[in-house]
Amino acid sequence: MSIKNPYLQKVYQQVCQRDANEPEFLNAVMEVLSTLEPVIEKHPEYEAAGLIERLVEPERAVQFRVAWQDDQGKTQVNRAFRVQFNSAIGPYKGGLRFHPSVNLSIIKFLAFEQTFKNSLTGLPMGGGKGGSDFDPKGKSDAEIMRFCQSFMTELSRYIGAETDVPAGDIGVGGREIGYLFGQYKRLQNRFSGILTGKGLSYGGSLVRTQATGYGLLYFVQEMLSVMANDSVKDKVTVISGSGNVAIYAAEKAQELGAKVVALSDSNGYIYDKNGIDLNVVKQIKEVRRGRIREYMDAVPSAEYHEGCRGIWSIPCEIALPCATQNELLLEDAEKLIANGVKLVAEGANMPCALDAVAAFQNSGVLYAPGKAANAGGVATSGLEMCQNAMKYSWSKEEVDQKLHQIMVGIFHDAYNAAKEYNMENEQHQANLLAGANIAGFAKVADAMMAQGIL
Ligand code: NDP
């Protein structure tokens, strides 16, 4: 990937100088700017308004201390962030991540990408993201609660139903959202929709838990139908991760007739050539919070391998990276291509390295970027916000149908934008990465131009 347009090149150089120690953020900026060239050439007014300089700088980035006591009474201190990247089209919206790898670069890249993803959903949501280097693994429920309460005590100053509405991400699921919501309510003495991914008994939406994984498969199904006159049915499918996104991607893939043969966690992966038994995985991951290798206790005929990246050496037709950023590198892409993969769609955010993406695109593998393919989670969060504002709940079927419609719409917006700007590979396949960036950018750019220099 490279940038040829002089204006975009100048902006990218400025970001490189200013944020030199933020590799994930620089990657995300390169990925977006390299696809916006034809739009910038069509709209010279953007340069005059300094639009791209403003687009790559967060409106606000807060860093704060989270002090809490562990079960031994010892004081622990973590570092936390909330990056409010862009509010041109609505209140900031994006998840919270609790993982030891969390730093400003990762949260900034996620918040930047979120801006375009949220725009693609067609709902009025700006881009934000937050989190902490806190590691929930091995912590007791009481420790998780004390951490969440301390975290929210500070975060509550910066969020609000009309300002910024966080949600879950890696390490932040229903349990954490419950503790965070409870603490906000206690501090503000107000029951309001300041978080999404809430439990059903206190304002959550049906299908939110399943939404990212289900939405990924709705996108993939439409993509296969339009771009290859094919479907998910009978396709051997490999899915990395075994968290929220991976489990519900696997569930919907199986429902649509695919054969899901592998899942992983950060220690290793399981390969079950007969097809993964998802009930076993849910017991391990959702009930016991255990490790994926425990699958072998229930299904001894399966295989377990240490090391998560080995999962990409399993021959498959569909590969869905659903764990974390940069989990699929060029050498993994080359293995998948050599083994005949037909489609790669990102359930995680930026799981494929930029050169791995280029390898897929150049070899005719259908590739869907996360900001389009995994937008089902935030789209359903948007639907949760609508229901909270109306003080009303839709049925499971209503939410699922709206999610399906939104995912099909996102595919077509990305596909049509790629076609309109001739962003295609040698086989004339639409470049969905470019299409998603262009379609997501268009609405944000319009709103920023209308609102003046801010
Ligand atoms: P979870 O915490 O539920 O699950 C994450 C999974 O990825 C776990 O299986 C975890 O294994 C694995 N994992 C984490 N770090 C690594 C690593 N370095 N190498 C290999 N595996 C790893 O998170 P989610 O499923 O919610 O999120 C997964 C991805 O999807 C993230 O990129 C997130 O940003 C993205 N996403 C999530 C959305 C949502 O609605 N939840 C919406 C859109 C995107 P272990 O238990 O060993 O850590």
Side-chain angles (χ1 to χ4, degrees):
M1 269 171 208
S2 63
I3 299 171
K4 292 182 203 75
N5 175 283
Y7 170 47
L8 292 173
Q9 228 172 29
K10 186 188 80 187
V11 175
Y12 182 66
Q13 286 314 322
Q14 283 167 355
V15 182
C16 287
Q17 278 171 11
R18 193 184 267 165
D19 301 321
N21 55 352
E22 296 177 3
E24 293 85 359
F25 180 58
L26 293 180
N27 256 354
V29 173
M30 164 58 86
E31 182 245 274
V32 171
L33 297 196
S34 66
T35 58
L36 293 184
E37 297 192 330
V39 190
I40 296 301
E41 272 148 30
K42 198 170 163 189
H43 290 279
E45 69 275 18
Y46 289 166
E47 180 171 0
L51 186 93
I52 304 297
E53 288 89 328
R54 291 186 282 136
L55 189 79
V56 296
E57 185 66 13
E59 290 174 16
R60 189 174 299 108
V62 189
Q63 180 185 315
F64 54 97
R65 181 180 74 202
V66 184
W68 57 282
Q69 272 191 325
D70 65 21
D71 287 345
Q72 284 69 45
K74 196 164 171 280
T75 301
Q76 302 285 346
V77 178
N78 285 99
R79 178 172 287 180
F81 306 91
R82 184 73 186 165
V83 174
Q84 299 178 328
F85 218 106
N86 192 302
S87 62
I89 64 168
Y92 310 104
K93 179 92 198 87
L96 298 170
R97 177 176 293 192
F98 293 169
H99 192 272
S101 64
V102 163
N103 58 35
L104 183 61
S105 171
I106 289 180
I107 298 298
K108 271 177 72 179
F109 116 66
L110 289 164
F112 181 64
E113 290 274 301
Q114 194 82 43
T115 303
F116 306 100
K117 183 190 303 190
N118 292 0
S119 166
L120 279 171
T121 66
L123 300 172
M125 301 182 289
K129 199 86 186 186
S132 170
D133 59 5
F134 172 73
D135 188 357
K137 269 198 216 96
K139 302 288 189 302
S140 69
D141 278 357
E143 288 176 323
I144 299 281
M145 183 179 74
R146 286 194 294 274
F147 175 82
C148 287
Q149 291 178 340
S150 182
F151 179 89
M152 181 51 88
T153 301
E154 181 62 23
L155 184 71
S156 64
R157 300 166 193 269
Y158 313 106
I159 63 173
E162 308 292 336
T163 312
D164 183 356
V165 184
D169 189 69
I170 291 179
V172 179
R175 172 182 59 170
E176 291 75 17
I177 293 289
Y179 294 145
L180 292 164
F181 182 81
Q183 180 70 354
Y184 183 89
K185 180 166 61 68
R186 174 161 76 168
L187 291 168
Q188 303 283 329
N189 193 25
R190 192 180 317 139
F191 193 108
S192 73
I194 45 89
L195 286 165
T196 57
K198 299 187 290 297
L200 292 178
S201 56
Y202 62 96
S205 172
L206 286 158
V207 195
R208 175 60 189 91
T209 306
Q210 298 86 347
T212 308
Y214 280 18
L216 175 64
L217 267 294
Y218 294 148
F219 189 99
V220 166
Q221 187 79 324
E222 186 69 10
M223 181 177 172
L224 274 173
S225 160
V226 172
M227 296 177 78
N229 193 23
D230 203 346
S231 86
V232 169
K233 192 162 182 331
D234 297 328
K235 298 281 181 301
V236 175
T237 302
V238 163
I239 303 179
S240 64
S242 48
N244 174 264
V245 179
I247 286 178
Y248 291 98
E251 184 167 282
K252 187 53 79 177
Q254 289 180 344
E255 246 179 74
L256 294 172
K259 187 169 181 192
V260 180
V261 295
L263 287 171
S264 62
D265 62 21
S266 54
N267 294 114
Y269 67 94
I270 49 165
Y271 172 52
D272 187 343
K273 62 178 188 323
N274 300 317
I276 297 280
D277 183 338
L278 214 51
N279 288 328
V280 173
V281 176
K282 284 186 180 176
Q283 271 296 321
I284 299 168
K285 287 290 171 181
E286 295 187 335
V287 181
R288 302 207 303 271
R289 295 180 191 276
R291 309 303 302 158
I292 200 70
R293 66 171 161 266
E294 294 165 34
Y295 186 82
M296 302 300 296
D297 302 338
V299 189
S301 59
E303 294 171 24
Y304 174 73
H305 299 268
E306 283 290 332
C308 39
R309 275 186 42 223
I311 197 169
W312 306 124
S313 61
I314 299 172
C316 62
E317 294 157 287
I318 296 180
L320 305 176
C322 294
T324 194
Q325 68 275 354
N326 292 324
E327 54 161 314
L328 195 164
L329 306 182
L330 178 59
E331 63 202 80
D332 306 313
E334 284 166 348
K335 276 185 212 152
L336 283 165
I337 294 165
N339 285 333
V341 73
K342 290 190 166 60
L343 178 146
V344 177
E346 297 180 336
N349 286 311
M350 252 170 63
C352 302
L354 295 184
D355 48 7
V357 172
F360 291 136
Q361 290 172 329
N362 294 335
S363 60
V365 172
L366 299 179
Y367 163 77
K371 68 169 70 82
N374 73 28
V378 74
T380 309
S381 278
L383 300 177
E384 183 174 332
M385 289 163 72
C386 291
Q387 293 169 83
N388 290 168
M390 294 187 297
K391 301 198 189 309
Y392 182 74
S393 304
W394 289 316
S395 69
K396 185 172 171 225
E397 291 69 30
E398 282 173 296
V399 180
D400 195 35
Q401 193 210 346
K402 289 183 199 320
L403 168 65
H404 189 265
Q405 231 170 25
I406 290 172
M407 295 313 297
V408 168
I410 293 175
F411 168 76
H412 284 279
D413 285 352
Y415 181 78
N416 292 337
K419 290 278 178 194
E420 183 186 339
Y421 285 94
N422 292 322
M423 305 295 264
E424 295 177 333
N425 66 6
E426 280 169 9
Q427 290 97 331
H428 299 291
Q429 284 169 338
N431 178 338
L432 293 184
L433 174 63
N437 284 339
I438 292 170
F441 169 78
K443 188 171 156 195
V444 176
D446 265 8
M448 287 176 73
M449 291 299 283
Q451 291 168 25
I453 309 288
L454 301 170

